[in-house]
């Protein structure tokens, strides 16, 4: 137990009697005051299946903490459902919720001077929000992912949440009836757990496991499994030993462990949001990390996973094939991971994987051979050019067409673009530009899944380009470029584009640019005026005043 904790609740000395009296009222016994006190940040919420089951896991965490010799205190932190917020103004709160989660956990665990933190999360922003708080607090901590949802059953095989977004696009293209959309809607989400493909939740839980901040198999155990219950119990028990050993998050979150995390994201074909969130976690842990580090790793790590949205399978299939540690074992044996990184088990990554069979030890179809990958190098690339001098992010997994040049169709906001899609005004070879959706201008940097899913549903996913200063869901696919920095609100070049300008996206050259003369650029820049802030008060206004560029992780601290 830390000296600071001991000075706050020790049974010796009368000055702490009021503190102890309040703790007795919530169930503390005499000897509990000499135990490590651990905060259990439970992001339970019944507004989303991702988090609806977390109370069950919180109970297991408390049992494990008690079995390990500690005493746990549960508290909540807010979550918001990305899938339900998608496609309307509510999505402005999505990325903001990451910061609110981090702040909320810091306030409670910091204010209570908890000796350790166990955080339970499910929906997309839970994972990075929890890790950002854990990195700030730097007390012994473990993250537990709520687990992935089981796939739904459709007419042509397994379906998931992105299936319904794409069904809407097929309906708009007269390729699916209203009854067909309803059927997909009813079957896509069969119960508790986070979205099943390699979307943002599974991407970040996998990254955190490879980083060493969660237990082996944390990312691949299904939400509705006894294995997830057992893992959570063990996490609580192990956290007490982490406190005794003095192993803290910043002992685990290092440049090498961040390389492990992003390498695993690349190998699994994960979401572009990993760039934003890993950058934010690195900033909170005070680890030097830039966009160039993402690109450096992306140049040599193969994309191995045939997982949605670019492939056929979901996380449940990977669980059946051997789970996340089995993939890490293969990557370690091939020299892609740093095995000497410390983890929350108290052992190194290599020690954790010592007795785990490689994913290739038995026949399976989810993870391709390293010498015959889905894509030979990283499916996420960092682009620059005169439209994104500070950088932009694209996901190129599974694309048959890696570059496009065409006329820009410029929209101020997602709604205007979606209306054009509904009117069938977007044609093959167009470059769709959605601006004013950056961290400051949005505010909140909305995801464009409704647009990308509709493009896919209309059969245009591989035939148009899309550029935005907003984000993309892990479920987005196509030749799409997001996180354009500087954003339009800050006067970035994307603010100066006009419909008809000839724009190029070239994934091979890592370029996103427009063909305009210096004189035209200068004239447009002189004429540009910054729009007024969209929000004048409340959390969105506060966020817009303090948030950094997407190229810096869009953090507010």
């Amino acid at each position: 137990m830390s000296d600071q904790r001991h000075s706050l609740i020790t049974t010796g000395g009368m000055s702490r009697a009021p503190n102890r009296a309040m703790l007795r009222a919530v169930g503390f016994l005499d000897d509990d005051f000499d135990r490590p006190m651990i905060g259990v940040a439970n992001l339970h919420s019944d507004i989303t299946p991702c988090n609806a089951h977390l109370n069950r896991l919180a109970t297991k965490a408390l049992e494990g903490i008690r079995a390990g010799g500690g005493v746990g205190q549960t508290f909540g932190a807010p979550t918001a459902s990305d899938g339900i917020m998608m496609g309307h103004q509510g999505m402005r709160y999505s990325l903001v919720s990451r910061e609110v989660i981090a702040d909320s956990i810091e306030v409670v665990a910091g204010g209570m001077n908890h000796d350790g933190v166990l955080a339970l999360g499910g929906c997309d922003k839970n994972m990075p929000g929890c890790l950002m708080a854990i990195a700030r607090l730097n007390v012994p901590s473990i993250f537990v992912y709520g687990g992935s949802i089981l796939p739904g059953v459709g007419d042509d095989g397994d379906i998931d949440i992105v299936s319904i977004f794409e069904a809407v696009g097929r309906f708009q293209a007269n390729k699916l009836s209203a009854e067909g959309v309803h059927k997909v809607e009813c079957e896509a989400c069969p119960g508790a757990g986070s979205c099943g493909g390699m979307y943002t939740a599974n991407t970040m839980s996998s990254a955190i496991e490879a980083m060493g901040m969660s237990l082996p198999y944390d990312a691949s155990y299904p939400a509705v499994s006894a294995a997830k219950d057992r893992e959570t119990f063990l996490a609580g028990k192990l956290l007490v030993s982490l406190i005794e050993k003095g192993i803290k998050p910043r002992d685990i979150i290092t440049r090498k462990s961040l390389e492990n995390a992003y390498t695993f994201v690349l190998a699994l074909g994960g979401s572009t949001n990993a760039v934003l969130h890993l950058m934010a976690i690195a900033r909170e842990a005070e680890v030097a990390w830039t966009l160039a580090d993402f690109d450096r790793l992306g140049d040599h790590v193969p994309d191995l996973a045939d997982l949605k949205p670019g492939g056929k399978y979901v996380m449940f299939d990977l669980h059946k094939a051997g789970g996340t540690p089995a993939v890490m074992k293969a990557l370690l044996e091939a020299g892609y991971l740093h095995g000497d990184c410390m983890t929350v088990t108290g052992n190194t990554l290599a020690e954790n994987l010592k007795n785990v069979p490689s994913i290739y030890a038995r026949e399976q179809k989810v993870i391709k051979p390293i010498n015959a990958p889905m894509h030979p190098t990283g499916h996420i690339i960092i682009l620059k050019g005169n439209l994104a001098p500070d950088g932009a992010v694209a996901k190129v997994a599974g694309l048959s067409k890696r570059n496009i040049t065409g006329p820009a169709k410029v929209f101020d906001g997602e709604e205007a673009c979606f209306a054009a899609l509904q009117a069938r005004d977007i044609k093959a070879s167009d470059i769709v530009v959605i601006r004013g959706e950056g961290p400051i201008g949005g505010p909140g940097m909305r995801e464009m899944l409704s647009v990308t899913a509709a493009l896919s549903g209309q059969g245009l996913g591989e035939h148009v380009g899309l550029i935005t200063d907003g984000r993309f869901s892990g479920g987005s696919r196509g030749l799409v470029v997001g996180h354009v920095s500087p954003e339009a609100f800050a006067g970035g070049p994307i603010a100066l584009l006009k419909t008809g300008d000839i724009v190029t996206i070239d994934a091979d050259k890592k370029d996103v640019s427009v063909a305009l003369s210096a004189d035209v650029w200068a004239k447009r820049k002189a004429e540009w005026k910054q729009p007024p802030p969209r929000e004048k008060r409340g959390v969105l206004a506060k966020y817009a005043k303090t948030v950094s560029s997407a190229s810096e992780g869009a953090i507010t601290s």
Side-chain angles (χ1 to χ4, degrees):
M1 185 187 302
S2 68
D3 290 340
Q4 188 176 34
R5 162 60 43 218
H6 187 77
S7 69
L8 283 172
I9 63 169
T10 179
T11 53
M14 292 300 103
S15 63
R16 295 301 175 188
N19 300 32
R20 296 195 302 272
M22 295 183 74
L23 291 170
R24 289 183 191 281
V26 295
F28 271 55
L29 304 172
D30 282 348
D31 61 356
D32 287 338
F33 297 112
D34 291 319
R35 299 175 184 270
M37 192 161 81
I38 295 171
V40 178
N42 175 15
L43 276 69
H44 167 80
S45 171
D46 62 6
I47 66 173
T48 170
C50 311
N51 296 56
H53 62 302
L54 294 185
N55 278 344
R56 184 190 93 228
L57 298 183
T59 299
K60 291 297 179 183
L62 290 170
E63 291 174 1
I65 290 167
R66 178 63 74 174
V71 58
Q73 292 191 307
T74 55
F75 62 92
T79 193
S81 172
D82 280 51
I84 298 172
M85 291 188 292
M86 200 73 67
H88 58 86
Q89 294 296 317
M91 178 47 70
R92 300 194 191 283
Y93 290 90
S94 169
L95 189 57
V96 177
S97 76
R98 184 191 75 178
E99 310 302 304
V100 175
I101 289 165
D103 292 348
S104 298
I105 294 173
E106 180 192 359
V107 164
V108 178
M112 291 300 295
N113 263 321
H114 282 141
D115 294 300
V117 173
L118 189 150
L120 292 154
C123 199
D124 292 6
K125 304 308 174 292
N126 292 187
M127 276 66 73
C130 289
L131 262 291
M132 289 164 68
I134 283 168
R136 282 183 205 168
L137 291 161
N138 201 34
V139 296
S141 302
I142 295 179
F143 176 76
V144 176
Y145 177 43
S148 185
I149 196 171
L150 297 178
V153 179
D155 288 342
D156 300 317
D158 290 347
I159 58 175
D160 65 0
I161 185 61
V162 173
S163 303
I164 184 60
F165 283 96
E166 294 185 352
V168 171
R170 290 166 60 202
F171 172 75
Q172 292 171 342
N174 296 317
K175 297 178 180 178
L176 185 68
S177 67
E179 292 78 12
V181 174
H182 183 259
K183 186 172 183 179
V184 175
E185 174 191 327
C186 292
E187 300 293 335
C189 297
S194 298
C195 299
M198 193 45 58
Y199 313 136
T200 302
N202 282 327
T203 295
M204 289 310 301
S205 61
S206 299
I208 292 165
E209 184 180 331
M211 189 189 299
M213 285 303 301
S214 61
L215 298 190
Y217 297 96
D218 178 67
S220 55
Y221 280 149
V224 289
S225 67
K228 179 57 70 174
D229 288 1
R230 291 192 297 268
E231 177 217 333
T232 309
F233 175 89
L234 184 59
K237 189 174 181 181
L238 278 172
L239 182 49
V240 180
S241 69
L242 276 188
I243 295 169
E244 293 168 350
K245 294 174 182 176
I247 299 174
K248 299 178 181 180
R250 295 190 193 182
D251 299 321
I252 297 171
I253 305 172
T254 64
R255 275 188 64 82
K256 288 170 72 173
S257 74
L258 283 165
E259 288 186 359
N260 284 347
Y262 191 59
T263 293
F264 203 37
V265 168
L266 293 168
L268 293 180
S271 165
T272 55
N273 282 316
V275 173
L276 199 69
H277 298 326
L278 288 174
M279 180 78 81
I281 293 166
R283 291 286 185 273
E284 298 290 7
E286 298 184 337
V287 176
W289 194 266
T290 69
L291 289 179
D293 290 303
F294 293 110
D295 225 24
R296 170 175 56 83
L297 294 168
D299 282 343
H300 75 275
V301 178
D303 173 10
L304 303 174
D306 193 3
L307 292 166
K308 291 185 177 185
K312 302 175 185 176
Y313 301 104
V314 294
M315 186 58 93
F316 183 60
D317 298 305
L318 179 56
H319 165 67
K320 291 185 292 183
T324 37
V327 185
M328 281 191 267
K329 181 62 173 282
L331 292 170
L332 181 67
E333 290 179 341
Y336 287 104
L337 297 179
H338 302 289
D340 59 344
C341 289
M342 178 56 63
T343 75
V344 293
T345 65
N347 298 319
T348 65
L349 182 70
E351 289 169 336
N352 287 345
L353 298 176
K354 182 179 179 181
N355 297 318
V356 175
S358 166
I359 193 72
Y360 304 125
R362 60 179 177 176
E363 185 176 350
Q364 51 82 39
K365 298 180 180 179
V366 183
I367 302 298
K368 301 297 184 183
I370 289 177
N371 61 359
M374 296 284 289
H375 194 270
T377 57
H379 66 291
I380 298 174
I381 59 173
I382 307 299
L383 301 92
K384 288 195 173 183
N386 64 11
L387 280 179
D390 291 346
V393 181
K395 185 175 180 179
V396 296
L399 292 181
S400 58
K401 187 174 183 180
R402 292 171 57 88
N403 56 74
I404 186 171
T405 296
K409 285 198 173 176
V410 181
F411 302 95
D412 290 309
E414 181 186 21
E415 287 80 7
C417 180
F418 194 74
L421 274 167
Q422 287 182 307
R424 307 303 296 276
D425 288 339
I426 306 298
K427 309 298 182 186
S429 298
D430 285 342
I431 309 292
V432 176
V433 179
I434 306 175
R435 65 188 179 193
E437 294 286 6
I440 305 171
M445 205 177 177
R446 287 193 292 178
E447 293 178 347
M448 304 290 122
L449 179 58
S450 61
V451 169
T452 58
L455 285 170
S456 294
Q458 291 183 17
L460 293 171
E462 294 260 352
H463 303 289
V464 303
L466 197 158
I467 299 171
T468 181
D469 51 8
R471 297 181 295 124
F472 294 111
S473 162
S476 293
R477 53 181 172 168
L479 193 54
V480 295
V481 179
H483 307 201
V484 169
S485 300
E487 63 175 283
F489 187 87
I494 192 174
L496 309 180
L497 279 179
K498 293 184 178 180
T499 293
D501 290 343
I502 301 303
V503 172
T504 294
I505 302 171
D506 192 323
D508 296 318
K509 294 181 179 179
K510 299 181 181 178
D511 177 66
V512 55
S513 59
V514 59
L516 287 178
S517 69
D519 290 342
V520 172
W521 267 125
K523 183 174 185 295
R524 290 187 186 180
K525 191 169 184 178
E527 293 172 348
W528 181 79
K529 290 185 173 66
Q530 186 176 61
R534 184 174 271 114
E535 300 292 337
K536 304 298 192 297
R537 60 187 300 176
V539 68
L540 294 178
K542 293 175 186 176
Y543 180 85
K545 289 175 182 176
T546 57
V547 70
S548 67
S549 166
S551 63
E552 295 294 324
I555 63 172
T556 58
S557 63

